[in-house]
Amino acid sequence: MRIVTWNANMAFRKKQKILVERLDPDVAFIQECEHPNKFKENLFPFTIWKGENENKGIAVFSKYEIIELNEKSPLSRYYIPFRINGTFFIGIWAMNDKEIRQNRYIAQVWNILNKYEELLNNDIVILGDFNWNIIWDKKPEHPLAGDFRDINAMLNKYDIESAYHHHFKEDFGNEKNHTFFMHKNEEKPHHTDYIFSKKKALDNLKKFCVGKYNKWGEYSDHMPLFIEI
């Protein structure tokens, strides 16, 4: 299965063809995506979308039927739990939370995974824009409900690992390939986007790649992550 996550920086209807031509995903989880009714043509037969603003939500595009699961995390606004064939997915776009400071960004990922812990024994892919790097765990303005170290400890119990760190053998916080360039500025790189899966799947990985700035920077401030398992 060919899977991609990408924060498309809005107007995905104008970028969908580029993504399909370059990566040909079976499943694409897209953040900052407009409602599908704004598309003149949808290149995927199955789509689900969630959002409060029709110009900027999250969507799953798939060549295969998508079974959407019930939501369980009311504190997290932008996530979609779903199943395709025998694989479970949780797509997450982590946001700031100005009202509940302990629930901002990576803490939302923590809350979501705790709500869906029963799924972690299954074949599962957790992916999206977490808006966070582990280097920020140590210096939040206020305590978090859970940070990246907490998440890694939880996922490791279920033999779930980051595809990037498994593939490149790099430590969290020392990523050499960046996924986010603030304001599309190549001089302001960060690593904030992730795909997690079972270690047994990553051991038999067919392909993994991170989009390069010189190929994707004109389309978004985020680079797509692609995995074939």
Side-chain angles (χ1 to χ4, degrees):
M1 186 181 293
R2 300 165 64 87
I3 302 164
V4 66
T5 179
W6 188 29
N7 184 322
N9 196 212
M10 303 178 67
F12 180 64
R13 66 191 182 279
K14 300 178 181 179
K15 306 168 187 178
Q16 180 183 207
K17 186 177 180 181
I18 297 293
L19 186 73
V20 170
E21 289 177 347
R22 292 184 179 181
L23 297 176
D24 187 27
D26 297 312
V27 181
F29 175 58
I30 306 298
Q31 304 95 65
E32 295 196 25
C33 181
E34 65 273 44
H35 194 284
N37 64 15
K38 294 181 176 289
F39 287 54
K40 289 184 178 179
E41 180 184 16
N42 188 342
L43 301 179
F44 294 86
F46 300 97
T47 304
I48 56 175
W49 181 92
K50 177 181 177 180
E52 300 166 4
N53 178 341
E54 287 201 348
N55 296 313
K56 197 175 183 180
I58 56 176
V60 179
F61 298 88
S62 177
K63 295 179 181 178
Y64 310 109
E65 183 181 7
I66 307 165
I67 307 299
E68 189 171 2
L69 307 180
N70 292 333
E71 293 187 9
K72 295 184 178 182
S73 184
L75 291 177
S76 304
R77 294 161 54 200
Y78 289 104
Y79 76 99
I80 299 176
F82 60 100
R83 179 171 57 84
I84 293 177
N85 297 327
T87 302
F88 289 89
F89 293 79
I90 304 176
I92 301 170
W93 180 24
M95 309 290 289
N96 196 6
D97 191 326
K98 295 181 179 179
E99 296 181 1
I100 307 174
R101 298 294 293 156
Q102 293 83 0
N103 187 53
R104 69 195 188 283
Y105 298 123
I106 196 66
Q108 294 179 14
V109 181
W110 168 254
N111 288 331
I112 291 167
L113 294 181
N114 272 275
K115 293 291 186 181
Y116 288 92
E117 189 169 0
E118 77 277 4
L119 296 183
L120 301 183
N121 278 313
N122 300 282
D123 289 334
I124 190 167
V125 176
I126 302 158
L127 71 173
D129 175 9
F130 292 4
N131 265 313
W132 200 261
N133 189 285
I134 204 168
I135 62 173
W136 299 323
D137 277 6
K138 295 181 179 179
K139 43 187 178 182
E141 297 176 13
H142 302 283
L144 293 162
D147 61 25
F148 221 139
R149 287 173 176 81
D150 296 324
I151 288 168
N152 279 336
M154 177 186 188
L155 294 179
N156 286 341
K157 291 191 302 182
Y158 295 93
D159 291 323
I160 297 172
E161 298 182 1
S162 160
Y164 176 90
H165 299 87
H166 184 93
H167 181 74
F168 288 107
K169 311 301 181 188
E170 296 174 8
D171 293 331
F172 280 83
N174 292 316
E175 296 88 0
K176 297 177 182 176
N177 298 278
H178 306 292
T179 69
F180 173 56
F181 297 87
M182 188 176 293
H183 308 306
K184 293 188 177 181
N185 186 340
E186 194 172 8
E187 302 302 316
K188 296 182 178 181
H190 301 281
H191 192 105
T192 61
D193 304 78
Y194 303 89
I195 298 176
F196 283 81
S197 189
K198 289 286 186 177
K199 183 178 183 298
K200 65 179 180 180
L202 300 179
D203 285 340
N204 297 297
L205 203 59
K206 295 178 181 178
K207 186 175 181 180
F208 177 83
C209 64
V210 180
K212 300 298 183 183
Y213 180 85
N214 60 359
K215 291 187 176 181
W216 295 92
E218 66 178 292
Y219 302 107
S220 176
D221 49 356
H222 287 259
M223 304 300 104
L225 272 67
F226 172 88
I227 188 172
E228 184 173 2
I229 55 177

